[in-house]
Amino acid sequence: NAGVTQTPKFQVLKTGQSMTLQCAQDMNHEYMSWYRQDPGMGLRLIHYSVGAGITDQGEVPNGYNVSRSTTEDFPLRLLSAAPSQTSVYFCASSYGVGTSRYEQYFGPGTRLTVT
Amino acid sequence: AQTVTQSQPEMSVQEAETVTLSCTYDTSESDYYLFWYKQPPSRQMILVIRQEAYKQQNATENRFSVNFQKAAKSFSLKISDSQLGDAAMYFCALASGSARQLTFGSGTQLTVLP
């Protein structure tokens, strides 16, 4: 299993540009989520999905869009990049049931810089 | 809303010694889980240990153990026989209720001195 994969690893954008961060998992996990990590603030939830076709907002959703057309993929779209979106982005997934449902597996992260 | 607080931005420990990282949390849920994640310079988030709130026994994973004080809403991580590879940022995290979102603390940067 590759686990949770994210592409790209690094990205530089200009203000106003749009882009999509890719996330995929091969563990058949129902639950997937996106977090951003800023210095001194830990990780904060952007959007999450409990299954294909179902998404919801987290703590900091503004400026981001998601969709979940398959179980495996959960892309994050930046609609019009702003310098405040400079951050490290993590995708995570977890199994649906039992005591393991809270245990999330993280991808390697994408470092995004918006100039 | 649930919160997680890590009051020690930085800690250091001598190699082979023991160190304890502190974490306090707040949630109104009765069913919740607590985690410690390690983030080395590679940036990868690595699960170190987890604790189910309904279990009174403290979780242990090799050199890592927790002191879970439910009434005090405290969840500290003890690292015994510290090794150079333990140097990393450590995050305390909480998940509760029907949602599975993790709420993270701000992290503690651990330095291991040779």
Side-chain angles (χ1 to χ4, degrees):
Chain A
N1 283 351
V4 180
T5 58
Q6 291 182 237
T7 56
K9 285 188 168 53
F10 301 93
Q11 183 69 48
V12 179
L13 288 178
K14 292 189 187 311
T15 298
Q17 287 184 317
S18 62
M19 80 158 295
T20 299
L21 306 185
Q22 300 292 344
C23 174
Q25 52 89 11
D26 61 358
M27 297 173 283
N28 202 31
H29 284 173
E30 291 181 353
Y31 182 88
M32 297 185 74
S33 54
W34 278 100
Y35 294 85
R36 60 177 287 173
Q37 181 180 17
D38 301 301
M41 298 187 72
L43 281 73
R44 293 181 293 167
L45 182 69
I46 305 171
H47 285 285
Y48 67 97
S49 169
V50 299
I54 306 170
T55 64
D56 206 346
Q57 296 180 352
E59 180 185 355
V60 288
N62 292 342
Y64 306 95
N65 202 0
V66 292
S67 60
R68 183 100 178 266
S69 56
T70 67
T71 300
E72 294 78 19
D73 301 297
F74 190 44
L76 177 72
R77 297 180 187 84
L78 278 69
L79 309 172
S80 177
S84 61
Q85 294 179 304
T86 294
S87 189
V88 179
Y89 292 84
F90 287 96
C91 180
S93 71
S94 69
Y95 190 52
V97 297
T99 58
S100 297
R101 67 187 184 280
Y102 291 115
E103 190 170 318
Q104 298 198 29
Y105 295 79
F106 284 84
T110 294
R111 180 176 292 278
L112 175 68
T113 301
V114 183
T115 61
Chain B
Q2 54 191 35
T3 60
V4 176
T5 302
Q6 294 179 250
S7 58
Q8 305 156 315
E10 298 176 346
M11 293 278 287
S12 62
V13 62
Q14 290 289 144
E15 197 175 2
E17 297 294 308
T18 296
V19 64
T20 298
L21 309 184
S22 301
C23 172
T24 58
Y25 64 93
D26 192 24
T27 178
S28 58
E29 301 282 349
S30 58
D31 177 25
Y32 58 91
Y33 291 72
L34 293 157
F35 303 88
W36 279 98
Y37 281 89
K38 171 185 177 181
Q39 186 180 44
S42 67
R43 207 168 62 201
Q44 181 70 49
M45 295 290 287
I46 302 166
L47 178 63
V48 174
I49 199 166
R50 74 173 192 183
Q51 174 80 43
E52 292 91 334
Y54 64 86
K55 289 188 177 179
Q56 293 185 345
Q57 186 173 5
N58 289 327
T60 300
E61 289 286 344
N62 301 315
R63 298 181 295 106
F64 298 87
S65 61
V66 299
N67 183 6
F68 175 47
Q69 301 289 325
K70 192 170 183 177
K73 295 186 176 178
S74 170
F75 182 62
S76 60
L77 174 70
K78 185 172 83 170
I79 306 174
S80 304
D81 186 25
S82 297
Q83 301 175 358
L84 294 177
D86 295 333
M89 180 73 85
Y90 286 82
F91 290 99
C92 180
L94 165 70
S96 65
S98 58
R100 276 174 274 179
Q101 301 96 305
L102 285 167
T103 298
F104 285 85
S106 54
T108 297
Q109 181 68 50
L110 178 66
T111 301
V112 181
L113 304 169

